[in-house]
Structure formats: structure tokens, C-alpha cells
Amino acid sequence: MTRHACSASRALGISAWLAGAWLFGLAASAGFGAEPPARAKAPAAAVPAPAAAVPDTKAAPEPGPATDASKDVIQMHVGIPGTIFLGQPLTDVLAHFPGVKKVPFANQPQVVQLQIPEQGISALAMGETPASMTVESIGFNFAETYEGVSPGANRTVEGIGTGSNVNELLEAYGKPAESGPEAHRAAVAPVTPAPGKTEAPERIRHLYRSEDGQVATYFIVEGSRVLRMAMSRPASVQRYVVRPPAGGAPPAKP
């Protein structure tokens, strides 16, 4: 090969190398100067939705029965309904008060005296046989021990009971049908003092009658204090306790 041909060949090789280097540099420049591709943003963490309120499945308590203001208190001319009351069978009383004290009454087999000392209650059950006996008289003690029965906490519907005074009694029930000394409590009719004799008893019995006249209720008052009350059915008392002679005068009202 001639010197001229070698020189030409070398020149061509150098030119090809320079062209390849330029292309590489251009490509490198393009890659360096261009902004890098944007990175894909990671998806934001999902915010959990608030938990739905769990319904309260507990059943709301049902309202209780309306309170009866007359329950467990003394009703005039009745007694305490469901506990001890006029006309209640003796068997029911014995079941309700297993510890009731039974006391013979004046050797009369048709009358039984009942005492519930811790509750301030006494009663008389009457009937031809024990199985047929019913309560015909009830007493409630308010202020002091009477015939072995201590004062109880029972009160009337109108609020008469321990600590009550005569003014409260008269305000609650009005004027009594009759008033008289307690000393005459065994009398079927009011007793009139003998001529020329006056009495100033310490204890007065204020008596009230039911509208039908079948029940008599009285309160014993000493000074201003109400000591106790009692109620009875006069017809039963007349039949089993007083026992008037056959063909005698009709029984007087108590």
C-alpha cells in the first residue's frame, strides 16, 4: 500500500472514531440535561371510615305500674286491702300472718281475738265455725301499747297515724257522727250521764259511719293526740258479741 493510501485510510478511521465519540457525547448530554422522569406518587393511605354506631340492643326497662296511694295504708271503713280488712276470711289472715297471736274472747267459741303486736294491729274474727269465720272488727294502734299491742307504723290514706292530732283528724274526716267518753266503748249506744253528774273524760271516742251504715269507725283521742282507731261491722258485733235476748229490742247503732 502506498503511503498516500495509508494516510487516507488512517484519516478515515480517525474521522469514524470522532463521529462515534460525538454521537456518544450527544446522547450522554441529552441524558444528563433532561429532567428525570417523574416518579409515580404512592397512593395516599386510605383513612378508615368511622365505625358505624352499634345499635343498643338492650331492651329499655319497662315502666313499673303506677303507684297506688291507697296501697298498704288504712282505708276508712275497710282496713288495709290485701293485708287485713273487714270480711277477710280467718284462714287468709292466718296465711298472711303465720305468727299471729290467737286469744280466746270471753269464752265465746264463735269469736277469736287476733293480735299482730309488732304491727300494732288487733282484730276480732267471728263466725259459726273456724272455717267460716271472717274479720269483723280491726284496731290499729298509733301511740302507745294497748291490750298487749305496741304502736304500729300504719297510717290512713289521709295520713292519720303516729303523731297525728285531733285537728288533723277533724280536718281529714269532718265532724264525727257521735263523740263520747272511751269509758263507754263497750256500749252499743251512747251513754247519757246520770242527772246532775258531769263527766270530763280524758279520752274521747269520735265515731264515723259508712254511707250505707254497715261499718262504724272510731278514733280515740286523748287531749290533742290521736291514740288509735278501730272499725267494725255493728251487725256482726251485735250477733256474735252482744247477743241480745230473742225478741228483744232491735240493736242500736254503735
Side-chain angles (χ1 to χ4, degrees):
M1 181 180 293
T2 64
R3 181 182 299 177
H4 179 73
C6 292
S7 299
S9 201
R10 187 179 300 147
L12 182 59
I14 293 172
S15 297
W17 181 85
L18 289 174
W22 180 82
L23 288 172
F24 178 79
L26 182 62
S29 297
F32 182 80
E35 294 182 2
R39 296 182 180 179
K41 293 183 178 180
V47 178
V54 179
D56 185 4
T57 57
K58 181 185 290 186
E62 296 183 0
T67 302
D68 183 357
S70 65
K71 186 179 181 181
D72 297 331
V73 293
I74 306 166
Q75 293 187 25
M76 187 79 152
H77 306 312
V78 175
I80 303 178
T83 301
I84 187 161
F85 50 92
L86 293 178
Q88 181 180 16
L90 173 60
T91 53
D92 187 53
V93 177
L94 298 179
H96 199 91
F97 299 101
V100 64
K101 183 179 179 181
K102 294 187 292 182
V103 181
F105 183 82
N107 295 321
Q108 296 188 32
Q110 295 173 318
V111 181
V112 174
Q113 184 175 2
L114 308 173
Q115 293 182 336
I116 311 170
E118 67 280 4
Q119 296 196 32
I121 300 174
S122 59
L124 292 178
M126 307 177 192
E128 296 299 332
T129 65
S132 65
M133 286 183 174
T134 55
V135 174
E136 299 299 326
S137 179
I138 314 172
F140 298 96
N141 200 12
F142 298 145
E144 59 188 29
T145 300
Y146 178 73
E147 294 184 351
V149 177
S150 302
N154 300 295
R155 306 186 78 84
T156 69
V157 175
E158 295 78 12
I160 301 301
T162 301
S164 295
N165 59 51
V166 66
N167 291 331
E168 294 169 336
L169 172 67
L170 297 177
E171 182 178 352
Y173 302 112
K175 182 181 178 180
E178 298 172 8
S179 295
E182 185 199 12
H184 302 149
R185 68 182 185 276
V188 177
V191 176
T192 303
K197 182 178 180 182
T198 59
E199 294 186 69
E202 293 184 352
R203 297 185 176 184
I204 301 296
R205 183 179 72 163
H206 296 297
L207 185 143
Y208 298 84
R209 293 192 180 91
S210 61
E211 291 184 2
D212 60 7
Q214 299 300 308
V215 180
T217 299
Y218 64 84
F219 295 83
I220 300 300
V221 175
E222 180 184 59
S224 64
R225 295 190 307 157
V226 179
L227 303 182
R228 59 184 179 275
M229 71 178 293
M231 59 190 70
S232 63
R233 297 203 271 202
S236 296
V237 174
Q238 185 72 35
R239 176 181 178 182
Y240 293 107
V241 178
V242 179
R243 292 178 178 273
K253 294 182 179 180

